Amino acid sequence: MSLLSDLVNLNLSDSTEKIIAEYIWIGGSGMDIRSKARTLPGPVSDPSKLPKWNYDGSSTGQAAGDDSEVILYPQAIFRDPFRKGNNILVMCDAYTPAGNPIPTNKRHNAAKIFSNPKVASEEPWYGIEQEYTLMQKGVNWPIGWPIGGFPGPQGPYYCGVGADKAIGRDIVDAHYKACIYAGIGISGVNGEVMPGQWEFQVGPVEGISAGDQVWVARYLLERITEISGVNVSFDPKPVPGDWNGAGAHCNYSTKSMRNDGGLAVIKKAIEKLQVKHKEHIAAYGEGNERRLTGKHETADINTFSWGVANRGASVRVGRDTEKEGKGYFEDRRPASNMDPYVVTSMIAETTILG
C-alpha cells in the first residue's frame, strides 16, 4: 500500500508542466455532486481560459439517451487539496449544445440576478452556516450511535469535547484545512446539538461566489468522507423525534445595511421577506417541513416571524446589529439541502429588486 500511497501523492510539477483539472458539476437530483478529471498542458488561473467539456446527461438524469450530451462551462477555480501542486478543482454549470442552461442549472439565473446593476451596487454579502450529519456507511444512522439505538439526550454535544461528545472531529478538521487550502472563505466549524452533526461556515462572501464556494466545500466534504468510509447526509431531519434537524442559515447584508442607518434598511428587507414567505419556503430545500416545526430552535414553517437574538424566529437580528444600528440579519429558514445559488440570489432579488 505504501507504493500506491507514493503514487497518489506524486508531485507532478517535479517532472512536467501538465496539470490535472477536476471538473465539478451538480447532477439531476440537485444534490448529487459529480466530477471527472482531465489533463491540461499547464497551470490555469482564469476560468475563461479553461476548455468547455461535456458529459453524458442521460447517466445523471439531465438528458435523454438519444440526445445525451451536456456541456460544462467552467465558472470558478480552486486549488486541489488532494492532488496539490498546480492541480485545480473547477466548479462548472451545465448547458445544452445550443448554449441554453439545462433546467437543473440554478447558477445561470443566480448570476443574472447578481449581475443586475442595482444588486451589484449593493455588494450583497453572505455567510452560510452549513450543517450536516455524518452517517455510518451502509446504515442510515449517525456515526457513534448504537445501531437501532440512541445516545444520551441532547445537551452535552454542542461544541462538545471528548470521544463520547465530538464524534467525527478528524473528518471535520481535515475538511476545514482542505477548504482553506482550496481558497474557500471558510470562517469556522463547530459540533452541533445532535451527536454526529457538525457545521461549517462559509463567508462573508459576495454574490455568486457564495454559491460556488458552498458547493465546492460540499464536494470536498463528500470526498473526505469517501476516504474515511462514512457517508455525509444533508437531510434536514436525519433522525425523527426529539433531535435537532440540520439547516443552512443564511446571514446576509447589503452595503446599505452595513452603513449608518442600516437597521431601517434591514427592517424593510425583512418586511419584503415576510410578503414572499411561501415562495422562499418552497425554494429553501426539500423536506424542510420535517425540520421547521417550531421546536428545536426553529420557527413553524407556515408562520413568518422575526426578532432580536431569537433563535426560534424565521429571521434573527443580532444584538450587535441592534446596538450599532447597522449590520446584517440571519435567515434561519433554509434547510441543509438547499441550493446556495437559489437561496442567495432569491434573498437578493426579494430584498433589493422587490
Side-chain angles (χ1 to χ4, degrees), residues 273-284 346:
L273 288 173
Q274 182 169 12
V275 171
K276 293 277 187 83
H277 177 62
K278 284 186 179 177
E279 293 91 331
H280 279 254
I281 287 293
Y284 274 16
M346 194 174 196

Side-chain angles (χ1 to χ4, degrees), residues 16-237:
T16 181
E17 282 288 305
K18 293 178 180 178
I19 67 158
I20 300 171
E22 189 79 26
Y23 279 43
I24 303 165
W25 72 97
I26 301 153
S29 76
M31 275 304 291
D32 55 321
I33 304 172
R34 311 283 180 134
S35 77
K36 61 176 183 171
R38 67 182 298 166
T39 307
L40 299 175
V44 183
S45 57
D46 180 352
S48 69
K49 306 291 186 196
L50 288 167
K52 293 173 184 173
W53 206 6
N54 64 73
Y55 67 91
D56 171 16
S58 69
S59 296
T60 62
Q62 293 171 298
D66 60 353
D67 186 14
S68 65
E69 192 167 285
V70 180
I71 313 301
L72 292 172
Y73 286 32
Q75 299 291 359
I77 291 175
F78 300 85
R79 295 178 66 197
D80 186 339
F82 304 106
R83 296 187 176 110
K84 303 187 182 71
N86 292 319
N87 303 300
I88 55 175
L89 305 174
V90 184
M91 189 66 210
C92 305
D93 59 352
Y95 296 79
T96 66
N100 300 311
I102 65 171
T104 53
N105 179 354
K106 306 303 182 186
R107 190 187 191 280
H108 179 78
N109 186 61
K112 278 169 56 177
I113 292 168
F114 285 121
S115 63
N116 181 295
K118 196 172 177 184
V119 175
S121 69
E122 280 289 351
E123 299 171 11
W125 291 1
Y126 299 90
I128 295 170
E129 305 172 31
Q130 176 68 70
E131 294 179 338
Y132 60 92
T133 309
L134 297 173
M135 310 292 275
Q136 300 175 49
K137 192 174 180 181
V139 185
N140 192 30
W141 208 237
I143 63 169
W145 290 39
I147 300 293
F150 298 89
Q154 295 183 154
Y157 309 108
Y158 172 70
C159 299
V161 177
D164 58 343
K165 303 178 194 71
I167 306 162
R169 191 188 293 278
D170 311 2
I171 291 168
V172 174
D173 270 357
H175 177 250
Y176 196 175
K177 289 183 177 180
C179 285
I180 291 173
Y181 181 95
I184 292 165
I186 188 168
S187 47
V189 299
N190 61 268
E192 268 304 330
V193 177
M194 189 181 84
Q197 189 183 81
W198 294 82
E199 173 185 300
F200 65 87
Q201 302 97 31
V202 172
V205 181
E206 186 178 338
I208 195 71
S209 292
D212 290 336
Q213 292 193 24
V214 169
W215 273 116
V216 175
R218 285 175 173 177
Y219 168 82
L220 293 175
L221 184 58
E222 292 273 16
R223 286 284 307 275
I224 290 164
T225 51
E226 172 191 319
I227 294 164
S228 304
V230 303
N231 292 331
V232 59
S233 171
F234 294 103
D235 190 287
K237 187 75 173 179

